[in-house]
Amino acid sequence: MSTRYDGGSEDGATDGAVAGFAHHAPDGSADGDERTFAALAPAAGRAFAHTWWGRAWLKALEDTALDAQQLKRGRRQAREGAVGAVSVRPGRITAVVQDRDGTAQRSDVLLQQLSDEEWDRFLDMAVDRAGHIAALLDREMPPHLVEDAAGAGVELLPGIGDLEPECGCEAWDHCPHSAALCYQLARLLDQDPFLLLLMRGRSERRLLHELQVRSVARAARAAGAKEEPGDGTDDDGARSGEEAGVPAVAAFAARDLLPPLPAPPPLPPEPGQPPALDTEGTPPAGVDADALEFLAADAAARALRLLSEALLPGHEQQPEEPELTPGQDAVRLAATTSDQRLVARLGSGSGRRPAELDLAVRAWRYGGAAALSVLEDTWTPEPEALARATAALDAAWEDGDTPRLRAGGGGRWTVAEAPVQLRYGRDGRWWPYRKERGRWAPAGPGGPDPAAALADALAEDTPAQGSAPGA
């Protein structure tokens, strides 16, 4: 194996400890199955994960650990920069974590590697969809890639109980050292989602090489199929020596004797182009050609997405997506276009003033229908849900760091010293809000950690808009 260092260490003693269990490539190559990252600077006052895959990693940790106090101590150690160089390799991450008294413990977290069969299914799925290959080449892990992989029976993200700790302190559950290592890795995953694939058993170089080989082989097979001789049909299109059809009863009776149906044709790489309505004729009164073209293009994109999902193995066992109301769909459409004339029409049709539609679009881009519901709907949490929310707030910050929060109606908590707010959604996620021009405005995506949501709300550089889910 070989190891790459991604920057110089800030702690020579820690690097020396890591050297005892990592094999370093003399040339600094990144082609091996192990990567080592130098100790990161302290992370005081900021969320550990900003990408959705980094947040998913932390959710697996927080759902697995049995002792919330251990997590709090680990989070504090990670914030203080106590985690040394982090080594990432298939099935395992490792680091030396220093306690406040100067003692150090080697801590490991194990994650099950994918089998060769699972990797084959994942690679075949990725090759089938050009968008997935493009995303991987851009070092991204879009949600549809993970969803499609799960549809093929391959779980990329860890779930409850998948992160197994091993630490020199000999704790039986996640101790502060393994928790600090996991929080530190969330920051690294934000920078490079390929680390998750490396833990699952494939280095970046090997994965991209296998994708390229499979893509070339599939293109060669497709080209060869086009060059095969005729299929035995006569000039009029009827197959020689065969009848045009058989009665349905006879076909059903012979169901066990007939060959299986052919595989469905491959999906197109992108939606088809809608018809152009820019003709010499004048459209009838009340018909907006530009709006019709926009709706046709949106329908084509949604049809391709629905068809892609329907062809996934196990799709029939997945719950149906709730149907959007006309008001929700108007916000979704407004989030996908930059044509202000269409945006104005969508706002008028859904009964929203421009400022209200702007907030609704911002919420949609942060989290779809769930985020829109948090913005516009009010709800009273049941006692059990309210108890879970209160417990999460109590465990989110280290001692002395808890902000002063004023509880309001509808699962909302407002910070006393700042114009920011936390909203607890029906899905159990926390959503950050910031007051802008007298209105509460969405300030980031939802997540399981109220401290991370509050950090998003307090960040001065929080983007005004996120990326549009489900567009």
Side-chain angles (χ1 to χ4, degrees), residues 262-469:
L267 288 169
E270 56 187 18
Q273 291 295 325
L277 302 180
D278 185 12
T279 62
E280 296 181 356
T282 302
V287 175
D288 188 331
D290 291 337
L292 284 177
E293 288 185 348
F294 169 69
L295 291 174
D298 176 73
R302 295 184 67 193
L304 179 59
R305 181 178 66 84
L306 292 173
L307 180 59
S308 302
E309 295 172 353
L311 294 178
L312 292 175
H315 173 73
E316 68 280 0
Q317 300 176 0
Q318 300 299 318
E320 293 186 10
E321 291 184 5
E323 185 175 353
L324 299 180
T325 65
Q328 291 173 326
D329 204 42
V331 175
R332 182 190 67 82
L333 290 169
T336 64
T337 180
S338 58
D339 189 329
Q340 293 304 308
R341 189 173 58 87
L342 293 177
V343 171
R345 289 192 59 181
L346 290 166
S348 175
S350 62
R352 292 181 175 88
R353 291 176 293 182
E356 294 172 341
L357 181 61
D358 178 68
L359 292 179
V361 167
R362 190 187 304 187
W364 186 274
R365 289 175 172 167
Y366 277 131
L372 183 62
S373 174
V374 171
L375 171 70
E376 296 187 336
D377 299 342
T378 57
W379 74 299
T380 301
E382 299 292 335
E384 183 178 350
L386 185 60
R388 285 197 303 268
T390 303
L393 289 171
D394 291 340
W397 289 273
E398 292 81 14
D399 296 338
D401 294 338
T402 305
R404 288 200 304 127
L405 299 172
R406 296 195 305 268
R412 301 174 182 183
W413 284 264
T414 304
V415 178
E417 296 85 2
V420 296
Q421 186 180 83
L422 291 174
R423 296 191 178 184
Y424 188 65
R426 289 183 173 89
D427 56 2
R429 287 185 288 175
W430 294 91
W431 300 83
Y433 272 71
R434 183 189 302 112
K435 183 163 285 190
E436 298 177 1
R437 296 186 294 274
R439 292 175 176 265
W440 286 110
D449 183 5
L454 185 59
D456 284 342
L458 292 171
E460 294 181 357
D461 59 345
T462 298
Q465 295 178 337
S467 58

Side-chain angles (χ1 to χ4, degrees), residues 109-128:
V109 175
L110 282 60
L111 179 63
Q112 182 69 40
Q113 298 183 55
L114 299 180
S115 66
D116 290 340
E117 180 185 358
E118 288 173 319
W119 276 114
D120 283 338
R121 293 202 299 268
F122 173 79
L123 292 167
D124 285 340
M125 178 278 302
V127 170
D128 283 340

Side-chain angles (χ1 to χ4, degrees), residues 204-263:
E204 175 182 349
R205 182 180 180 87
R206 180 179 177 185
L207 177 66
L208 296 181
H209 172 73
E210 291 180 351
L211 284 174
Q212 182 181 22
V213 169
R214 290 178 185 240
S215 297
V216 171
R218 179 162 299 188
R221 288 196 300 269
K226 293 180 180 179
E227 297 175 0
E228 290 182 359
D231 60 0
T233 56
D234 296 330
D235 292 341
D236 61 0
R239 188 172 293 276
S240 303
E242 294 185 7
E243 299 179 3
V246 295
V249 173
F252 184 78
R255 63 189 182 277
D256 296 328
L257 304 176
L258 297 174
L261 292 174

